[in-house]
Amino acid sequence: MDGIAIHYDGQAGLASLPIVGTVAAGAAQYTLADPATCVEIMTGAVLPVGADTVVRYEDIQIEDGKATIQVPIKQG
């Protein structure tokens, strides 16, 4: 799924997270070192170490290098 990969903390709905990278299909596995950030992720990419949830592009707004989650989300 195309979107952002995050570390779900139970309060991710409406969060605004800095985007620290992009992970494409076929790329080496990325590590999300800071759970207060996110990475853009493309369909077929390996979920980054430290991330456990993907939020689809339709449910976020990207502006000034930050992704703001627009809907309540669940882990996974």
Side-chain angles (χ1 to χ4, degrees):
M1 172 185 326
D2 290 342
I4 58 169
I6 66 168
H7 173 76
Y8 182 83
D9 67 1
Q11 299 177 0
L14 306 177
S16 186
L17 305 168
I19 300 169
V20 295
T22 302
V23 183
Q29 189 172 27
Y30 187 90
T31 297
L32 186 64
D34 182 351
T37 64
C38 68
V39 294
E40 291 188 73
I41 190 164
M42 307 306 155
T43 301
V46 177
L47 189 65
V49 172
D52 58 8
T53 302
V54 175
V55 183
R56 61 191 189 140
Y57 277 124
E58 294 86 353
D59 296 331
I60 62 174
Q61 178 180 357
I62 296 177
E63 188 174 324
D64 297 326
K66 291 187 176 186
T68 302
I69 301 169
Q70 300 290 305
V71 298
I73 61 170
K74 297 179 188 175
Q75 186 175 22

